[in-house]
Structure formats: C-alpha cells, structure tokens
C-alpha cells in the first residue's frame, strides 16, 4: 500500500494599513509660472493659514478638484476651491500676481493611478501603500487589500516582509483571510538533502518548492506568531497542534527556531511533535542544520535532510525521506503521517 505525504507550510498574517495624504497630491502646472490662476468660478473660498490647509480643505470637499491659492495683503492667503482643472494645458491659465494654481498630481508610484472619486491611489502589480510605494508584506495583507485570484483561490504574489532585504515570490491562498505558502511537498518528493545556501534562499523545482529560511525569518518577525500544524495519517491520526510565539531568527543565529507555550486544538487534537520523546529530541531553541553545515550530533547527515536538531535526532523531522515522516497522536503514540499543513498567523501590535 502506498502512503502519500504532502507538505504545505502556510503563513497567515493580519495587519491593517491606514493611509494619509500629503500636500504632494497637488502640484503647480509643469511649464507654467506660479503667477497664474484657472479663471473659473470657485465652489467656495476661504482664508487659510497655509497651503496645506487649502489642500486639505479641497480634499474634504467632493466638489473641489483643483485650487487657486492667492496672497491677500490684508488678510493673508485665500483658498479658492475649483470644480474644474486645466486639463493639463497651460493655455487655459490666466496671469495673476501672487497666485498659484494647484492641480492633482499623479504621485502614485509603480504604475499606480490616482482615483479622484476615492482620493487615493489604485495600485497594481502587487504594490500597495498610500502611494503604491511598497510591496505587500504577506498574503494576508494582500487579501485584506482586496486582492483575489482570478480562476481559483491561489495566486502568485511578490511580497516584501518588514525589514526584508529583497522581494519574495510566494504562492498565496487568497481565501479565509489570506495564507502565505512556505512549502509544498508532493507525495514522492525526496529532494531535501540540500545545502545551507539552498535552504536559505529557497528553491522551486518540479519536485518541491521551499520559500527559504531568510524569508521565514523576516515573515515570523513581523509580529506575534502562532504556528498551527495539522496532520493526518495512520491509526486515526488527525488533528491540530499549536505553538504560540513562534519565530525563526537570522542567519547569524543559525536560523534558530523558538516558540512560547504550546496547546492542543480543543476538539480535534494531535500531539506535540516539536517536543516529542526525550528532552534532547525537542527542537525549541535549536539551530537549523544541513549536511554541509551539520549539527554536533550529525543528525542532518544521518537523516539526509535539513531541519532543526537538538542533541538527538528528532523522530518528527518533516523533511525526512518518504515513508519516514511521523507525528504523535493525542495519546503520544507516534504515527506515520500521510498529509500535513503548517500555518502561521502573524498579528501585529
């Protein structure tokens, strides 16, 4: 009888982004002197203390699409809110001393366009932010930003986690809040005896896909993470186990894995595979190891797989060869795993 193993590591992060708009949303017409106005009847005029106040008043008035801002020797600055623009033509402007005409500028970066109706930038190509100035930090932010897949729930997205040095192409499951998939492992895939460099940067082959330890480090440091492991296998093995406060440190620390307290699912539980058996087999606080950067016990070489190792080789190494991946059930009995997925929820303060 064949046993089938599939490995999917998923990241879920929740965050919210609040936008704000600066005076750069408006600019003087290129090629026109500032001593000009657009000669149309204003929808309203008021005295203001600064250019910023004038522009803020315009943004708060649905009828206003541009402004004439003029200096009044007696009263200071007068802000005239206008219902029209010059349509990009200097010829539509009229000379006026001590005045400047300001119109919306496309301050949206990376191909974004300014949405007049919503007074915000519409972003494309996996960019977000007030001015489309950055990538999504993970798939949950992309989901909360309105991103959806076209024909299924899955879509490849370019993300950049907080403080990360580069972008990462990830597969997003854009449903139920948005998941970032770290790893996929088909049932017969055994190509996990790779180098430290490969585990750090990740790989994408016909056999498996691994996002990489570097990305895992930055994603898990974005907030308070909870790692949830769902396994299903022989002997009725099925259920969930959680690790709160999960994180992976940087390269200098050997990508050390750590977590706080752990707990079972209240109705569908399995055992604690990360701390299974004797204390030396637990991986909390342990460094990652590969055959070319081995652990002191030689487990990475013996198991033929990169993983987090303690003073003894853990039985529940999820990168072992096919037919050898195991996990404890709710009673602590070790079982062969047929399928599993791992999810991380990142909650930012």
């Amino acid at each position: 009888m064949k046993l089938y193993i599939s490995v999917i590591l998923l990241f879920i992060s929740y965050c919210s982004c609040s936008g704000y708009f600066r005076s750069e949303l408006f600019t003087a017409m290129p090629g026109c002197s500032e001593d000009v106005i657009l000669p149309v009847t204003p929808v309203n005029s008021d005295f203001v203390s600064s250019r910023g106040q004038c522009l803020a008043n315009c943004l708060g008035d649905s009828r206003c699409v541009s402004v004439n801002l003029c200096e009044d020797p007696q009263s200071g600055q007068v802000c005239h809110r206008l219902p029209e623009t010059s349509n990009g033509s200097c010829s539509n402007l009229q000379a006026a001393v001590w005045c400047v005409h300001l119109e919306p500028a496309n301050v949206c970066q990376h191909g974004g366009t300014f949405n007049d109706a919503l007074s915000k930038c519409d972003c494309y190509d996996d960019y977000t932010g007030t001015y489309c100035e950055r990538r999504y930090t993970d798939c949950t932010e992309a989901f909360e930003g309105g991103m959806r897949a076209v024909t299924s729930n899955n879509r490849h997205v370019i993300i950049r986690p907080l403080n990360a040095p580069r972008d990462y192409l990830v597969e997003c499951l854009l449903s139920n809040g948005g998941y970032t998939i770290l790893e996929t492992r088909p049932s017969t895939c055994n190509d996990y005896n790779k180098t430290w460099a490969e585990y750090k940067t990740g790989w994408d082959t016909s056999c498996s896909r691994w996002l990489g330890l570097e990305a895992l480090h930055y994603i898990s440091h974005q907030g308070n993470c909870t790692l949830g492991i769902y396994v299903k296998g022989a002997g009725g093995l099925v259920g969930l186990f959680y690790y709160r406060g999960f994180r992976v440190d940087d390269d200098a620390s050997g990508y050390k894995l750590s977590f706080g307290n752990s707990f079972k699912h209240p109705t569908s539980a399995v055992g604690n595979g990360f701390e299974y058996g004797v204390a030396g087999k637990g991986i909390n606080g342990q460094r990652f190891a590969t055959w070319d950067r081995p652990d002191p016990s030689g487990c990475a070489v013996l198991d033929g797989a990169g993983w987090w190792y303690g003073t003894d080789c853990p039985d529940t190494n999820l990168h072992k060869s096919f037919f050898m991946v195991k996990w404890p059930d709710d009673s602590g009995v070790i079982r062969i795993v047929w399928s599993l997925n791992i999810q991380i929820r990142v909650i930012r303060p």
Side-chain angles (χ1 to χ4, degrees):
M1 178 183 69
K2 291 185 177 180
L3 302 179
Y4 295 94
I5 301 174
S6 62
V7 179
I8 304 176
L9 300 183
L10 306 173
F11 280 81
I12 310 175
S13 65
Y14 296 99
C15 76
S16 62
C17 301
S18 59
Y20 60 92
F21 293 93
R22 305 190 298 264
S23 60
E24 289 89 340
L25 278 174
F26 289 78
T27 185
M29 284 293 298
C32 306
S33 76
E34 291 204 354
D35 290 326
V36 294
I37 62 170
L38 180 65
V40 298
T41 302
V43 295
N44 206 334
S45 299
D46 43 24
F47 294 106
V48 295
S49 59
S50 66
R51 176 181 291 196
Q53 182 183 353
C54 177
L55 301 180
N57 291 348
C58 182
L59 286 173
D61 187 340
S62 61
R63 301 166 299 171
C64 179
V65 295
S66 68
V67 299
N68 289 330
L69 179 63
C70 299
E71 293 285 347
D72 186 313
Q74 302 297 323
S75 306
Q77 299 182 83
V78 182
C79 177
H80 304 283
R81 290 177 250 164
L82 309 179
E84 301 176 23
T85 69
S86 68
N87 295 318
S89 173
C90 291
S91 63
N92 291 328
L93 301 179
Q94 176 180 299
V97 179
W98 304 113
C99 292
V100 61
H101 177 67
L102 302 171
E103 296 190 355
N106 185 16
V107 295
C108 308
Q109 302 176 31
H110 301 108
T113 57
F114 188 74
N115 188 321
D116 292 321
L118 299 178
S119 294
K120 65 181 291 290
C121 291
D122 291 331
C123 304
Y124 310 99
D125 299 326
D126 305 339
Y127 284 98
T128 187
T130 302
Y131 303 105
C132 310
E133 73 276 8
R134 63 176 180 86
R135 297 289 192 184
Y136 288 105
T137 56
D138 47 56
C139 295
T140 298
E141 186 185 24
F143 179 83
E144 292 180 347
M147 180 180 289
R148 297 294 185 270
V150 178
T151 58
S152 68
N153 288 328
N154 289 61
R155 174 175 171 177
H156 286 88
V157 178
I158 300 173
I159 67 167
R160 178 173 288 200
L162 297 176
N163 302 315
R166 63 186 180 96
D167 297 340
Y168 305 102
L169 179 63
V170 302
E171 184 178 359
C172 291
L173 177 60
L174 294 170
S175 63
N176 300 320
Y179 297 69
T180 304
I181 300 176
L182 170 66
E183 178 179 4
T184 57
R185 182 182 183 182
S187 58
T188 58
C189 180
N190 283 324
D191 65 343
Y192 285 86
N193 195 22
K194 294 184 179 293
T195 65
W196 179 270
E198 289 174 298
Y199 269 102
K200 177 179 178 177
T201 59
W203 64 82
D204 188 0
T205 69
S206 59
C207 182
S208 66
R209 187 173 191 272
W210 164 257
L211 183 57
L213 291 166
E214 180 185 82
L216 176 56
H217 160 65
Y218 286 107
I219 293 174
S220 67
H221 276 247
Q222 294 187 114
N224 183 28
C225 300
T226 297
L227 183 79
I229 297 182
Y230 172 84
V231 293
K232 184 177 182 180
L237 177 70
V238 59
L240 288 144
F241 199 89
Y242 299 97
Y243 302 91
R244 187 177 287 129
F246 176 85
R247 68 192 301 162
V248 170
D249 289 339
D250 60 11
D251 188 303
S253 70
Y255 293 111
K256 182 177 70 173
L257 177 151
S258 62
F259 55 87
N261 62 319
S262 57
F263 57 99
K264 299 178 180 180
H265 189 278
T267 59
S268 179
V270 293
N272 181 358
F274 281 178
E275 297 178 305
Y276 177 78
V278 299
K281 290 181 181 289
I283 66 173
N284 193 7
Q286 301 302 330
R287 299 162 67 95
F288 201 84
T290 56
W291 67 265
D292 62 336
R293 193 178 291 190
D295 56 288
S297 301
C299 295
V301 176
L302 180 63
D303 287 346
W307 191 248
W308 293 272
Y309 294 98
T311 58
D312 201 350
C313 305
D315 296 321
T316 52
N317 178 348
L318 299 179
H319 287 168
K320 281 186 176 182
S321 298
F322 186 52
F323 294 120
M324 297 182 66
V325 179
K326 300 176 182 179
W327 197 265
D329 63 17
D330 192 27
S331 301
V333 178
I334 197 74
R335 304 286 188 182
I336 294 177
V337 174
W338 294 341
S339 63
L340 63 91
N341 68 69
I342 299 178
Q343 305 175 358
I344 287 185
R345 300 178 183 268
V346 181
I347 303 176
R348 295 177 179 84

